[in-house]
Amino acid sequence: MNSEHTGACLCGSVRFKTHGPLREVVACHCSQCRKQTGLYYAATNVSLGNITIEGEDAITWYRASSFARRGFCRTCGSALFWVADSAEEISIMAGLFDRPSDLKLAYHIYCADKGDFYEITDELPQYQQGRPGLLTAGPSD
């Protein structure tokens, strides 16, 4: 996998560059993620020290849980980031990355909370709640 990646929101007001390894992509089906994106939240993450963001003034942060916030572009509405208050990493929506991204979807979380209008049909692991060792807010926080 490349050690440097770039990406942007739909309108380009927010651009970013990452350095170093990215985590595999996680698909979160909790109700918060579904309501923010319309389907599910597919995200990777990177150390906060390994991302450079341009256009930070175009980011609106929304506190969706007691310990984390979600960032979106105030111009085009693109969902961008999820970061816990105490985290050393920032989650980045996988669809924002320029191609080739080299990203791979690894597993699904909060499958018990997924929308009733679709099925998860790939062969990847499915967790009914969060996965042990993965910091998430979950559907009720």
Side-chain angles (χ1 to χ4, degrees):
M1 185 180 285
N2 292 334
S3 64
E4 187 173 283
H5 292 85
T6 59
C9 65
L10 181 61
C11 70
S13 293
V14 179
R15 294 204 54 81
F16 62 88
K17 182 183 287 188
T18 65
H19 307 277
L22 298 171
R23 185 198 64 206
E24 69 276 0
V25 175
V26 175
C28 182
H29 299 266
C30 80
S31 59
Q32 283 188 15
C33 290
R34 284 189 295 103
K35 288 180 180 197
Q36 184 184 26
T37 66
L39 188 55
Y40 58 87
Y41 195 102
T44 183
N45 76 4
V46 68
S47 168
L48 283 167
N50 288 344
I51 186 169
T52 304
I53 300 172
E54 296 176 14
E56 288 188 65
D57 56 326
I59 300 173
T60 294
W61 290 96
Y62 171 70
R63 183 158 295 281
S65 65
S66 62
F67 70 94
R69 57 195 179 131
R70 296 169 181 266
F72 62 93
C73 175
R74 77 179 66 198
T75 304
C76 67
S78 292
L80 304 169
F81 308 114
W82 182 92
V83 64
D85 296 338
S86 62
E88 296 181 13
E89 297 88 23
I90 185 169
S91 290
I92 308 165
M93 295 290 286
L96 300 172
F97 285 88
D98 297 327
R99 296 168 88 178
S101 71
D102 299 323
L103 295 170
K104 302 285 186 234
L105 186 62
Y107 54 89
H108 302 266
I109 60 174
Y110 292 100
C111 296
D113 201 37
K114 76 170 197 55
D116 61 0
F117 59 91
Y118 67 95
E119 297 301 322
I120 302 170
T121 59
D122 60 37
E123 300 296 319
L124 297 174
Q126 297 181 28
Y127 297 89
Q128 293 306 298
Q129 299 302 314
R131 193 190 104 213
L134 182 69
L135 178 62
T136 60
S140 62
D141 188 29

